[in-house]
Amino acid sequence: NGKIFPHQAFTTGFPTFDWTSKEFSKYFITREEFCRIYGIPGNHKIILLVSSFTMADYNMAKWDKECFHWPESLTKEWVYEFKADSNKARELVVSSFSKLLKDNPDWHIVIRKHPLEDEPVYDKLFENSSQMTFCPDEQIYDLVSASDVIVHWNSTVSAIAFGLNKPTILID
């Protein structure tokens, strides 16, 4: 418009969301390929559970060293309580999904844990389930792209799902 010159303008945004553009979808694993790799029947509904229970497994012995920069309002006592609530929420989510899977044999849960969570927790919670696949190392775009619906607990992955036109369910 003649009032703003190129050297005055800066591109902003969250570069991660650039990958939600349709032209980049060719770089994601297809649903069919995902099902083949993980042995999921192609006619099953794939539900991606994106876990954000980051505090559930936090080692409180590291509190003084790692959390010194947190606001004073986030006291150690508050974090202990939040940690306990996170554990309860995760157990409730997993037990609810276990029940749902029994009632829906054509559903398959794919779990992507938060990097701060312990992996063995999910192995124990879903052991011996042929309707569950644990994918801690897969690219999140591949998982979202291959899934039918995304279930999350306050995760930014929901924004990626929105960008890829995938329905999301927020666990409240």
Side-chain angles (χ1 to χ4, degrees), residues 96-110:
S96 297
F97 270 107
S98 294
K99 290 174 188 170
L100 284 169
L101 289 176
K102 287 178 186 171
D103 295 337
N104 297 279
D106 62 338
W107 287 11
H108 196 94
I109 305 293
V110 173

Side-chain angles (χ1 to χ4, degrees), residues 14 16-17 19-20 47-54 110-115 117 135-136 138-147 149-170:
F14 192 47
T16 299
F17 296 136
W19 286 99
T20 62
I47 302 161
L48 174 61
L49 173 59
V50 181
S51 172
S52 297
F53 303 104
T54 56
V110 173
I111 297 176
R112 173 72 186 296
K113 75 171 190 69
H114 190 280
E117 286 184 275
C135 295
E138 286 287 348
Q139 291 294 322
I140 195 63
Y141 289 95
D142 288 331
L143 295 175
V144 172
S145 183
S147 298
V149 65
I150 290 68
V151 178
H152 66 97
W153 188 54
N154 302 318
S155 175
T156 55
V157 172
S158 63
I160 294 169
F162 177 77
L164 294 174
N165 295 316
K166 297 291 181 164
T168 65
I169 299 172
L170 169 65

Side-chain angles (χ1 to χ4, degrees), residues 34-98:
F34 183 81
C35 288
R36 187 189 63 73
I37 291 169
Y38 288 100
I40 301 169
N43 64 335
H44 281 203
K45 293 287 182 195
I46 298 177
I47 302 161
L48 174 61
L49 173 59
V50 181
S51 172
S52 297
F53 303 104
T54 56
M55 291 304 294
D57 301 316
Y58 183 72
N59 180 351
M60 290 300 290
K62 298 179 180 181
W63 173 266
D64 293 327
K65 183 179 179 184
E66 293 181 353
C67 302
F68 63 89
H69 62 284
W70 286 18
E72 287 182 26
S73 60
L74 296 179
T75 64
K76 194 183 265 191
E77 292 74 26
W78 183 91
V79 174
Y80 270 114
E81 185 177 340
F82 186 71
K83 178 180 169 61
D85 288 345
S86 294
N87 266 305
K88 286 179 199 169
R90 179 170 59 191
E91 288 172 16
L92 179 62
V93 166
V94 171
S95 82
S96 297
F97 270 107
S98 294

Side-chain angles (χ1 to χ4, degrees), residues 119-127:
E119 200 166 307
V121 170
Y122 290 97
D123 290 338
K124 289 177 195 169
L125 294 171
F126 278 111
E127 66 187 353

